[in-house]
């Protein structure tokens, strides 16, 4: 696809970009929906302190990498510069 080219400021040429997966933002929204749906289960989660609380902490920590992946921008396929 020749129309999928962006200007690279470092290469001074139009290059084919390496784009991240386009659905990371949807996955982030889905993450928050799952987290909100777990709120009514709070008493059961808190009652089982040996398994459910550590699992909930792991789920809560997953938002960091998901935020990073949702904010990725296209990069140059030659020099890895961030493109517009």
């Amino acid at each position: 696809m020749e129309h999928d080219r962006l200007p690279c400021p470092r290469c001074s040429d139009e290059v084919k970009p390496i784009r991240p997966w386009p659905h990371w933002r949807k996955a982030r929204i889905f993450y928050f929906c799952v987290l909100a749906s777990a709120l009514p289960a709070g008493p059961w989660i808190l009652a089982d302190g040996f398994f459910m609380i550590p699992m909930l902490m792991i789920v809560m920590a997953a938002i960091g990498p998901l935020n990073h992946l949702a904010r990725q921008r296209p990069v140059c396929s030659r020099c890895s510069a961030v493109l517009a």
Side-chain angles (χ1 to χ4, degrees):
M1 293 179 4
E2 202 58 38
H3 67 279
D4 189 31
R5 294 192 168 268
L6 293 173
C8 178
R10 195 181 297 169
C11 295
S12 299
D13 194 14
E14 287 200 355
V15 295
K16 184 175 182 192
I18 300 172
R19 296 185 184 273
W21 187 51
H23 303 292
W24 282 120
R25 291 183 192 267
K26 293 176 187 172
R28 185 175 178 266
I29 291 170
F30 177 74
Y31 168 84
F32 284 118
C33 290
V34 168
L35 198 60
S37 67
L39 281 175
W44 292 281
I45 291 172
L46 294 174
D48 184 14
F50 292 108
F51 179 73
M52 292 298 286
I53 291 177
M55 289 299 291
L56 186 60
M57 291 170 63
I58 291 171
V59 169
M60 295 285 288
I63 192 62
L66 193 53
N67 279 335
H68 171 72
L69 291 168
R71 289 187 182 119
Q72 280 184 340
R73 296 173 57 194
V75 295
C76 176
S77 58
R78 291 186 200 162
C79 66
S80 298
V82 176
L83 302 177

